[in-house]
Amino acid sequence: MGTRLLSEQLVKKRFPHLRYVRIHTPEKHKATIYAWNEDLNLSEKDAESLQRYASAYLYPYVSYQVKAYNLVQTDNVPLPQDIPEAVVQTAKRRNLNQYGIIEAINRLFPCGHLSFVHYDAAESLIYFDFHADRQLQNREKEAMYKYLNEIIPLGSYCEVTFY
């Protein structure tokens, strides 16, 4: 499954001279790869190579574009957030599927149970339900969304209904 963290790791491995790499989902079915080399530059050759690589080897259900890293601010890309190592390791699993996503969230939030409801392919929206043993605080709900956004595929969004 093509998560942001796995995709960034694959890009860095394939293009080790690119020092700064950030991938972001700006809208459904799309992802933007921001990159710079050591000299804070993205050559046209690197941009073309990165575009070809992304289209051929990264998550196939997404349309990729490549931009210079300095456009992260211009495009209002959120800053990378601190996330638990368990989320990082889950996001980097090549065999990640809906069951792995649910398992990871249920381990992080033992006060309830996350379940998959359905995927709306046209909207690139994954629906989940979370049945809690107690009332969740807003910060817990925000954390769950933050973690889910790291472990769902690029180009997708999620919606959680809390019970």
Side-chain angles (χ1 to χ4, degrees):
M1 190 173 292
T3 65
R4 177 187 72 82
L5 291 170
L6 177 60
S7 299
E8 287 178 1
Q9 177 180 295
L10 293 171
V11 167
K12 288 176 183 177
K13 185 176 181 180
R14 173 65 177 87
F15 300 91
H17 65 284
L18 295 178
R19 182 176 174 138
Y20 302 96
V21 175
R22 178 89 164 111
I23 302 178
H24 176 66
T25 296
E27 58 185 283
K28 63 183 178 181
H29 305 294
K30 294 189 179 186
T32 304
I33 303 171
Y34 300 90
W36 262 356
N37 63 17
E38 190 86 17
D39 299 324
L40 308 181
N41 183 33
L42 179 65
S43 70
E44 191 173 316
K45 180 182 175 189
D46 280 341
E48 289 171 0
S49 295
L50 192 49
Q51 177 70 47
R52 281 192 306 275
Y53 174 78
S55 297
Y57 296 105
L58 296 183
Y59 191 60
Y61 306 105
V62 174
S63 173
Y64 294 93
Q65 64 177 339
V66 177
K67 294 184 177 184
Y69 195 88
N70 62 313
L71 294 174
V72 164
Q73 281 187 315
T74 306
D75 292 351
N76 295 317
V77 175
L79 295 172
Q81 306 220 354
D82 288 333
I83 53 175
E85 186 60 27
V87 173
V88 172
Q89 293 307 313
T90 298
K92 290 183 176 182
R93 286 179 31 201
R94 288 181 182 257
N95 64 344
L96 183 61
N97 58 24
Q98 72 186 40
Y99 305 108
I101 292 170
I102 290 168
E103 179 185 317
I105 294 298
N106 287 338
R107 273 197 320 267
L108 290 163
F109 296 90
C111 60
H113 179 78
L114 185 74
S115 58
F116 173 79
V117 177
H118 76 278
Y119 174 63
D120 181 341
E123 293 301 316
S124 193
L125 191 56
I126 305 167
Y127 291 91
F128 296 100
D129 286 343
F130 187 79
H131 294 271
D133 301 335
R134 61 172 173 75
Q135 183 74 29
L136 291 181
Q137 298 178 359
N138 284 340
R139 65 178 173 75
E140 292 173 301
K141 292 177 183 179
E142 290 169 7
M144 186 180 297
Y145 269 104
K146 180 170 61 170
Y147 303 160
L148 278 168
N149 283 318
E150 292 296 344
I151 57 179
I152 63 173
L154 287 171
S156 298
Y157 297 95
C158 67
E159 195 63 47
V160 181
T161 302
F162 293 93
Y163 295 97

